[in-house]
Structures are given as C-alpha cells and as structure tokens.
C-alpha cells in the first residue's frame, strides 16, 4: 500500500506537537534514511521519527495505522539487502535513540537491551563482566542489536557459536495496531506456547517493531589464538578447511579470502598479507590457554599438511585484531574498487563448499565476469561478489548471479545465509521455497499486520 502525501501531512500534524524536533521531514534527514549498504539506488522516505521509548513507538504505530501510513523500522542502516530502506514515502521509525543497556545479569546469563544499542558497545559491556556475546556481524562497530535480530545476523564466530537467533531469549514488540507484546523467556529453559521469539528473529521488520530484547550471554573463553594461512588457490584453502573439521576440530573462526579479495584489500590491510598468495584462511581457536594453543598447533599441522604454503601466528591481541580487521575490510575495499559490484551471502552444507567454488568460478570464467569469493568458509556461508565497475557491467552480471544462487540451492543450500532478503533477494525466494510455503508466510504476515502497512514490499516476491 502506498502512503498518500495528504495522509502523511495529517500524521505529521498529529505527531509534531509531542515529538517536535524528533520528527523530521527535511531533505537531509530523508536522504540519510533512504539508503543502506546494499548498493541499491536510494529509496524515498516521507518522514522520519526518532522515538525514545516503547510507549512512543506504540503511539506512532497506532497513529500511522489509523491513517493508513506505511512504516519502515530502521536501526543504523548497515543492512545489505535493502530491508530497512523506505520505497514509497513511508514513515521511517529510526530506533537509534533507543540504545540503552537495561539490565546485565551475568549470573542468569542474560542482558536486556533496547534495539538501537550498537553491537560493539554491547560486546564491550558484556566483556567488562567477563562474559561474551558471540554474534559478530562484519559491521559490529556501527550496526545495532535490533537490526541484527531483525535480520538474524551471523558473522565469523557463527561457525562455533551460531547466529543471532541462538542468543535471543525474548522480545518486546510493537504491532502496527500499537499493541505492546512481550514474549520469550529470561530463564535458561522455557517452552510455553509457540516460539514467537524465533518467528520474529529474521522477520526483517515485517511483523512487529522490536523495542526490547533479552539476549543470552555466555562466559568468555579465557584465551584466543589466531593464525593466517596462505595457499596457491582457493580450492586448496577450502580443502584444508574441510580437513580441519574431519580431524574433529571446531575453530571459532574460519574465514576464506580468494585472490581477488586479497589483491583488493592488501592496500588498506593492517596485516601484511604474505605474497604470493592465491587464497588465505584466517583461523581462530579458543578455550583455556592450553586448549587454544594445542588446538591451533594441531590445526596448523593439518592445514600445512593439506597444502598451505605459509602460516603466520598472531603474537598478541593487536596482531590478532589486525588479521581480523583485514578480513573485515574486504567488503568495503571491494566496494571502493568495484562500486557496482553485486554481493550475495549464499550458504551451502560444508561438504558442498568445494563443488560450489569450482562451479561458481567456472561459471564466472565462461561469462568473463570476475567472481570474488570470501567469507565464512567454516559454516558454509560465502560472499560471492560479481565485480562490476559500471552499471552496464552490473546489469550484464545479473544472469550469472542468478546461476550462482541457483547453484547454491541445488547443492542443498540457501539464497541467504546471514543478510536477509529485503529488496535484493526477495524475487529469488521461489528458487528455495515452494509457493505453498511462501503463501503460508504471507498468511502469518496478515495476522500480525492485516493492513499490510509494516515494511511493505520486503522479503516476499511480488504476486
Ligand atoms: C562480511 O562478512 O564481511 C559481511 O557480511 C559483509 C559482506 O561482505 O557482504
Ligand atoms: Zn559475512
């Protein structure tokens, strides 16, 4: 449903007396919320509000609903799929000012947070009491926990610790009707009723506006060991990764960078990438100091025997962070060099990684498009980037992108391992799910949002 400017004016007139400068309709504010990190052309917001608490969100939703105005919830705008981008003059509800840590209960292993809290700030607060919140999406320095929950974000540590969903125990949401609903648990166990918490995690702002979350925290591992391994090519790197799991080791991070990723990130990398290298693996082990050291030594033996040409062990936290940061910078370095690149986040069962890489690279070679592969090798989630320097090159790469996503699904995988569908992948959903399964999801959406006003046009393909 498209918002009518007149109705939007009425809504602003109703919200203005109490939100005042927290209701913005100026061009600067609207432009800021019209984009995310997907590379899509800017969308169009009608207005943006910055609520400070749940009661305000509830009132905004109820007023918007009464006037038939569509609403787009938004965190820091670091998403990769357009899920938090307005399209047709919607009211954007920017939750960045709801950023408090409401409770930190190490003994009970949970924390209560508002959605606008920056993920990295939460990591820090939890670390100060000797605890650990594992989800670490690449943008953790600037993304928000609400956005992580809305997209069920992953990150390098998911290979051992799982994705965001594993850590969301409970939620408070506001529905488009303006109802405040609280569900989930604060106890370690809790199985009453349907698991609505899991339903909301990854729903990309289409079912309710998250205003509070209870997040599970775990004791911090005492020690972490990190190493960088170089290979002649990415197939050798991928096989070495498999050998590690075959030996029964579970790294807390296993990241792959292919030659294109290495060549591009080298200029900005804080870690000096060894040369020559056709691919690299970044491996971390954690546990007690003895365990982490022994596991990394064993991993190094296996990886070198499997064909690594070189290895570098981080000697301290500074060196560890330089290696991790080098990996994290790949996305922005590629974007800088190839502003029109297409990026996906397909995932396959780990055993299918070598076939996926072989077939995707072959498909790229046959169409003369440069395919760059990097990402979370350990959990089968790769960022396949089609490197394009112009809008024309990007458009030509469309069929190849489709082929690679289809390939992932045919290997038992998924079209999205961690970024969500938003606008960029919603038309691909039928590759993975049947019409009946998609129809069932639309029915669920209808129950939560009968008027279809909450984040319209996202996740599901047009009918
Ligand atoms: C990453 O792993 O770096 C992020 O998910 C971002 C991306 O590369 O698309
Ligand atoms: Zn990623």
């Amino acid at each position: 449903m498209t918002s009518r400017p007149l109705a939007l004016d009425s809504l602003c007139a109703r919200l203005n007396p109490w939100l005042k400068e927290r209701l913005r309709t100026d061009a600067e504010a609207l432009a800021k919320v019209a984009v995310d990190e997907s590379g899509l052309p800017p969308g169009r917001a009608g207005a943006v509000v910055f609520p400070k608490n749940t009661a305000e969100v509830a009132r905004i939703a109820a007023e918007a609903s009464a006037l038939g105005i569509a609403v787009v919830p938004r965190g820091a705008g670091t998403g990769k799929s357009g899920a938090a981008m307005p399209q047709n003059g919607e009211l954007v509800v920017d939750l960045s000012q709801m950023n408090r840590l409401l409770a930190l209960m190490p003994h009970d292993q949970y924390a209560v947070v508002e959605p606008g809290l920056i993920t990295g700030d939460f990591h820090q607060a939890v670390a100060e009491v000797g605890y650990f919140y594992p989800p670490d999406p690449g943008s953790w320095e600037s993304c928000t926990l609400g956005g992580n929950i809305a997209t069920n974000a992953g990150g390098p540590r998911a290979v051992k610790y799982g994705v965001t969903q594993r850590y969301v125990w409970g939620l408070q949401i506001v529905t488009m009707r303006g109802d405040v609903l609280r569900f989930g648990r604060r106890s370690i166990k809790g199985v009453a009723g349907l698991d609505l918490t899991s339903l909301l995690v990854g729903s990309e702002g289409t079912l309710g506006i998250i205003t509070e979350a209870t997040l599970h925290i775990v004791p911090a591992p005492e020690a972490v060991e990190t190493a960088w391994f170089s290979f002649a090519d990415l197939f050798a790197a991928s096989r070495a990764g498999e050998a590690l799991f075959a030996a029964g080791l579970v790294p807390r991070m296993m990241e792959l960078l292919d030659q294109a990723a290495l060549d591009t990130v080298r200029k900005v990398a804080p870690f000096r990438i060894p040369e020559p290298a056709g691919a690299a693996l970044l491996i971390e082990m954690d546990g007690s100091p003895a365990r982490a050291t022994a596991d990394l030594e064993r991993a190094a033996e296996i990886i070198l025997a499997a064909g690594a040409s070189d290895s570098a062990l981080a000697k301290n936290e500074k060196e560890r962070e330089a290696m991790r940061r080098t990996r994290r910078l790949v996305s922005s370095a590629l974007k800088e060099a190839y502003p029109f690149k297409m990026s996906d986040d397909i995932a396959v069962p780990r055993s299918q990684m070598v076939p996926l890489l072989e077939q995707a690279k072959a498909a790229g070679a046959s169409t003369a498009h440069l395919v760059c592969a990097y990402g979370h090798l350990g959990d089968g989630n790769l960022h396949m980037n089609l490197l394009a320097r112009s809008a024309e090159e990007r458009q030509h790469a469309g069929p190849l992108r489709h082929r690679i996503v289809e390939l992932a699904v045919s290997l038992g995988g998924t079209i999205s391992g961690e970024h969500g569908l938003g606008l960029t992948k919603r038309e691909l959903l039928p590759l993975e799910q049947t019409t009946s399964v998609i129809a069932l999801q639309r029915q669920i959406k209808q129950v939560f949002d009968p008027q279809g006003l909450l984040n319209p046009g996202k996740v599901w393909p047009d009918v």
Side-chain angles (χ1 to χ4, degrees):
M1 179 163 179
T2 319
S3 308
R4 297 180 313 274
L6 254 180
L8 187 68
D9 280 351
S10 310
L11 179 64
C12 290
R14 285 197 199 182
L15 299 181
N16 195 33
W18 56 283
L19 284 172
K20 297 198 169 64
E21 71 286 356
R22 289 186 290 118
L23 168 67
R24 305 264 307 262
T25 51
D26 55 289
E28 189 190 344
L30 299 187
K32 206 169 161 206
V33 297
V35 292
D36 70 355
E37 299 286 324
S38 60
L40 289 170
R44 188 172 65 82
V48 51
V49 284
F50 299 87
K52 283 201 170 336
N53 55 51
T54 300
E56 287 188 352
V57 176
R59 187 165 161 195
I60 291 164
E63 300 272 18
S65 207
L67 289 164
I69 303 283
V71 163
V72 176
R74 183 176 169 96
T78 57
K80 299 269 182 185
S81 67
M85 280 174 58
Q87 289 299 286
N88 297 304
E90 296 94 328
L91 172 70
V92 174
V93 177
D94 184 317
L95 297 149
S96 56
Q97 294 189 15
M98 290 177 64
N99 59 0
R100 289 175 302 162
L101 173 58
L102 300 173
L104 187 51
M105 311 291 286
H107 183 69
D108 288 328
Q109 298 206 336
Y110 74 80
V112 183
V113 301
E114 289 187 326
L117 183 57
I118 301 288
T119 306
D121 292 347
F122 183 55
H123 285 155
Q124 182 64 33
V126 169
E128 277 164 19
V129 294
Y131 271 70
F132 180 44
Y133 177 69
D136 60 340
S139 53
W140 58 261
E141 287 157 301
S142 52
C143 63
T144 62
L145 290 167
N148 297 171
I149 296 166
T151 54
N152 194 8
R157 297 196 292 234
V159 59
K160 178 167 180 179
Y161 291 101
V163 298
T164 299
Q165 187 182 42
R166 195 193 282 186
Y167 299 90
V168 187
W169 276 4
L171 291 173
Q172 177 175 271
I173 65 161
V174 168
T175 67
M176 265 316 284
R177 269 191 285 257
D179 295 332
V180 179
L181 306 179
R182 186 183 272 279
F183 40 77
R185 59 194 164 96
R186 287 193 176 171
S187 47
I188 288 172
K189 290 178 169 174
V191 295
L194 293 183
D195 187 353
L196 296 178
T197 308
S198 291
L199 181 61
L200 261 288
V201 176
S203 62
E204 301 188 40
T206 60
L207 302 183
I209 305 172
I210 296 165
T211 57
E212 197 182 291
T214 302
L215 300 179
H216 180 38
I217 54 175
V218 298
E222 284 176 74
V224 181
E225 294 289 350
T226 308
W228 185 282
F229 298 90
S230 304
F231 296 83
D233 62 52
L234 85 165
F235 308 116
S238 189
R239 279 189 215 102
E242 267 185 34
L244 208 67
F245 289 104
L249 287 170
V250 181
R252 87 162 193 169
M253 192 179 285
M254 181 190 279
E255 295 290 306
L256 171 77
L257 294 87
D258 77 355
Q259 177 139 27
L262 291 170
D263 289 347
T264 312
V265 80
R266 194 183 295 280
K267 298 158 209 109
V268 290
F271 168 66
R272 217 168 139 230
I273 298 169
E275 289 190 78
L281 281 187
L282 171 62
I283 304 281
E284 280 198 343
M285 294 290 182
D286 68 5
S288 67
R291 179 82 272 154
T293 305
D295 280 355
L296 193 70
E297 279 171 3
R298 180 128 183 270
E301 271 168 35
I302 293 166
I303 291 174
L304 289 165
S309 54
D310 190 13
S311 67
L313 175 68
K315 291 190 283 301
N316 49 46
E317 185 55 28
K318 195 171 166 226
E319 292 187 8
R320 254 190 289 289
E321 186 47 26
M323 290 181 182
R324 293 178 193 137
R325 192 160 177 76
T326 296
R327 158 61 190 91
R328 280 205 302 281
L329 285 172
V330 170
S331 183
S332 54
L334 285 172
K335 184 85 191 158
E336 179 83 24
Y338 304 93
F340 292 87
K341 79 181 175 86
M342 293 176 104
S343 171
D344 275 305
D345 61 322
I346 50 175
V348 294
R350 202 184 278 144
S351 60
Q352 300 305 308
M353 191 54 86
V354 174
L356 172 76
L357 286 169
E358 282 172 351
Q359 292 176 51
K361 286 279 181 176
S366 73
T367 57
H369 281 293
L370 192 51
V371 178
C372 171
Y374 70 93
H376 321 297
L377 181 77
D379 56 33
N381 176 204
L382 275 195
H383 298 301
M384 287 292 192
N385 279 236
L386 305 187
L387 304 181
R389 285 201 164 100
S390 67
E392 204 188 350
E393 269 181 38
R394 181 181 168 101
Q395 206 185 352
H396 282 150
L400 175 61
R401 181 220 186 188
H402 205 269
R403 229 166 116 191
I404 292 175
V405 176
E406 261 178 336
L407 174 62
V409 175
S410 72
L411 292 170
T414 174
I415 62 174
S416 179
E418 60 174 9
H419 292 164
L421 306 189
L423 293 167
T424 55
K425 277 162 280 173
R426 68 191 185 113
E427 295 298 342
L428 299 173
L429 188 57
L431 291 177
E432 181 174 332
Q433 295 178 356
T434 62
T435 314
S436 315
V437 172
I438 295 173
L440 179 62
Q441 293 171 69
R442 286 191 206 282
Q443 285 167 350
I444 293 171
K445 161 78 172 161
Q446 176 85 14
V447 170
F448 277 83
D449 176 23
Q451 291 173 272
L453 291 175
L454 190 54
N455 212 7
K458 310 289 167 55
V459 180
W460 301 286
D462 283 336
V463 271

